Amino acid sequence: MTSQPAAPANPWRALWALCIGFFMILVDSTIVSVAIRDIMSDLNADINAVIWVTSAYLLAYVVPLLITGRLGDKYGPKRVYMVGLVVFTVSSLWCGLTDSVEMLIVARVVQGLGAAAMTPQTMAVITRIFPPDRRGAAMGMWGAVAGIATLVGPILGGLLVDGFGWEWIFFINVPVGLIALVMAWRLVPRLETHPHSFDWLGVVLSACGLFLLVYGIQQAHGVEWGALIGPITVPFVIGGGIVFLIAFVLWQRFTRAEVLVPLSLFKDRNFSLAAIAMTTVGFGVTSMAFPIMLWAQTVLGYTPTQSALLLAPMAILSGALAPFVGRLVDHGSPRVLAGIGLGSFSAALFWLGAILDSGTSLWAVIPPVLLLGVANGFMWAPISSTATRNLPLHYAGAGSGVYNTVRQVGAVLGSAAIAVAMESRLEANIGSSSGMAGGAGAGAEAGAESGAGAAGGMSGGLPDSIASGFAHAMGQSLWVPAALVLIGFVAVLFFERPKARVRD
């Protein structure tokens, strides 16, 4: 173990510096959805090519997370975070300057790699610079950033696209990235490193497994679970990913070398339960916005920006509650706090699913949206803090990598599942008319991009003959994430109080 400067006397300044970069990369996961129509028009691209602008970013973001978490342990989280931030910022400029969709996709891959380097380090630094009895409040801040960023993306994207053009959803990252880089350099401490050997076979097995699994899930809906490349089908690709991941787990279990993911992490009951819960949170947060946005744009005729503003009360309430909940986490019961969050999340989605119709008023939508704000305020900090509190500090990077990986895999699953749910409910509710709505609602990766097309072509909303059926289909599809979040709710009910201990 190498000697490095100790944690700062005021770790909150370091946390603020990290949160700027973390906020930026999470916003970029959702901001592109409202610019799809403009990108298609400006770069003369078809929908399948533009889908990859988002899919390529998610693939490059998810696949390396286990590896980059371990790199933070080996080389220091500050160093890996700053390298990732430089890569992310430069590739953002590249994204805005591209003049073809192919180059935009390549630039988004590089951007995703930068984000993958940054994400585990934020959580690992929190774990290492805050003592256990103050970590809950810090995770509250981190959780507020995570929750709000996913909601701000569509709103900010709509404003930038409407006011300046799609390029600015990427150009905006350049000054923000430079500010984040200076703050990280000055305020984030250099922490001790651990001389790990690197498990190269584990790297290959995990990367291949995650790539095949995520790629198969992303493409499944678009090809109706059929052939992807020649005779290679979606089930074959997903099955191959599962085989690689099983081989990875077996290698981690039986190798005598130092492993990439210590399976002893999962001996900690709270870490395992938190991983399950966070998978369902990633699923729910990613999937819930698509039906709501499509309902607002296609049935009510809202613009993308107006539709995104429907979720503004959730973001405001979530941001107000998260620091308060974070302080409670240090002394309260994590199962109660996380249970309130996940229970509220599921209830709000069931509620919204039941009320969406062609004549639903804004005032009817606000109460369940506010309940979603309560959910976001209560679920992030208790789950995140409980996941990492009992872990040894030399496993901070590995634990953060696993935790963020399951969250992102849950997000990809949610994106694919909600597309299937919307398609099936459209067919059930409006039958043969779904061709028209399907153009708006059946697009790949959950249809956010096709929703933009619907809003552009039908600014006054759908004809009355199918508007109600379309609205009901969007509402019923919300019951899929609502049901899955219940699994996370049950998991957090089995949290045990974190072990009381002194500074690690």
Side-chain angles (χ1 to χ4, degrees):
M1 185 184 300
T2 61
S3 178
Q4 299 286 359
N10 182 8
W12 287 101
R13 297 171 66 193
L15 176 59
W16 274 109
L18 291 169
C19 280
I20 293 175
F22 185 50
F23 181 86
M24 182 173 64
I25 61 179
L26 288 182
V27 164
D28 247 61
S29 298
T30 57
I31 197 171
V32 174
S33 62
V34 298
I36 292 295
R37 183 180 59 184
D38 295 78
I39 293 173
M40 288 176 64
S41 174
D42 197 33
L43 299 183
N44 194 26
D46 60 28
I47 186 66
N48 291 324
V50 176
I51 286 167
W52 272 100
V53 174
T54 295
S55 296
Y57 177 82
L58 288 175
L59 271 173
Y61 187 5
V62 175
V63 171
L65 282 172
L66 293 177
I67 302 163
T68 56
R70 203 61 166 166
L71 286 174
D73 286 337
K74 183 176 176 64
Y75 297 108
K78 176 178 180 176
R79 182 178 300 170
V80 177
Y81 174 86
M82 292 183 67
V83 169
L85 182 55
V86 170
V87 171
F88 186 92
T89 304
V90 172
S91 59
S92 295
L93 179 62
W94 182 11
C95 287
L97 294 174
T98 54
D99 58 4
S100 72
V101 71
E102 292 81 11
M103 289 306 297
L104 179 58
I105 291 170
V106 173
R108 286 283 279 172
V109 169
V110 178
Q111 195 182 38
L113 293 173
M118 294 166 63
T119 298
Q121 316 317 325
T122 60
M123 193 171 176
V125 170
I126 292 172
T127 302
R128 295 173 66 176
I129 67 175
F130 284 88
D133 60 353
R134 295 173 60 199
R135 206 171 288 158
M139 285 295 181
M141 178 65 68
W142 184 86
V145 169
I148 294 173
T150 57
L151 309 176
V152 167
I155 300 172
L156 179 61
L159 293 172
L160 289 172
V161 171
D162 290 343
F164 303 99
W166 67 266
E167 298 90 347
W168 282 89
I169 66 175
F170 300 114
F171 287 152
I172 192 68
N173 291 335
V174 177
V176 176
L178 291 174
I179 292 171
L181 187 65
V182 171
M183 291 185 67
W185 175 62
R186 295 192 61 184
L187 300 177
V188 176
R190 292 173 62 220
L191 300 171
E192 62 184 14
T193 58
H194 303 275
H196 299 291
S197 59
F198 217 64
D199 177 16
W200 289 108
L201 181 57
V203 168
V204 172
L205 291 174
S206 66
C208 290
L210 283 171
F211 175 83
L212 291 173
L213 180 64
V214 173
Y215 176 74
I217 292 168
Q218 282 182 328
Q219 302 305 305
H221 178 66
V223 299
E224 298 181 348
W225 291 84
L228 280 172
I229 304 173
I232 301 175
T233 63
V234 167
F236 181 83
V237 171
I238 293 176
I242 293 172
V243 169
F244 270 106
L245 290 175
I246 290 173
F248 170 70
V249 172
L250 291 175
W251 171 250
Q252 304 297 283
R253 170 67 178 83
F254 293 110
T255 182
R256 295 179 181 274
E258 186 174 13
V259 295
L260 183 65
V261 176
L263 297 184
S264 59
L265 289 172
F266 296 97
K267 291 181 180 179
D268 183 84
R269 172 175 162 182
N270 282 352
F271 182 84
S272 297
L273 292 172
I276 294 171
M278 190 47 59
T279 303
T280 69
V281 169
F283 186 106
V285 167
T286 299
S287 61
M288 72 173 186
F290 296 128
I292 299 171
M293 295 298 99
L294 282 172
W295 166 74
Q297 293 177 30
T298 308
V299 178
L300 303 184
Y302 284 11
T303 67
T305 303
Q306 290 171 330
S307 303
L309 287 172
L310 285 175
L311 299 179
M314 172 172 62
I316 294 169
L317 184 57
S318 171
L321 284 174
F324 167 74
V325 174
R327 289 191 292 272
L328 291 179
V329 168
D330 290 330
H331 308 290
S333 169
R335 71 177 63 175
V336 172
L337 297 173
I340 291 172
L342 286 163
S344 298
F345 196 7
S346 182
L349 292 178
F350 276 120
W351 188 354
L352 277 169
I355 66 172
L356 291 192
D357 203 338
S358 58
T360 304
S361 71
L362 175 63
W363 298 109
V365 172
I366 286 178
V369 167
L370 288 173
L371 187 59
L372 285 173
V374 172
N376 272 276
F378 271 86
M379 66 190 179
W380 290 94
I383 299 173
S384 302
S385 179
T386 304
T388 58
R389 185 161 179 175
N390 293 339
L391 298 182
L393 288 191
H394 64 279
Y395 282 163
S400 178
V402 172
Y403 183 84
N404 283 285
T405 297
V406 299
R407 176 171 61 85
Q408 288 299 324
V409 170
V412 174
L413 286 169
S415 178
I418 201 67
V420 174
M422 290 191 298
E423 178 92 0
S424 65
R425 297 321 302 161
L426 283 168
E427 185 175 352
N429 281 276
I430 55 182
S432 60
S433 298
S434 64
M436 174 184 175
E445 307 329 301
E449 58 272 23
S450 51
M458 292 178 285
S459 61
L462 287 175
D464 292 340
S465 58
I466 62 171
S468 184
F470 188 97
H472 291 162
M474 296 300 101
Q476 291 160 8
S477 66
L478 285 171
W479 294 342
V480 173
L484 194 77
V485 168
L486 285 177
I487 298 175
F489 173 72
V490 173
V492 301
L493 294 182
F494 289 92
F495 276 161
E496 58 186 2
R497 278 188 179 273
K499 300 168 186 174
R501 62 183 186 182
V502 297
R503 171 77 169 137
D504 307 82

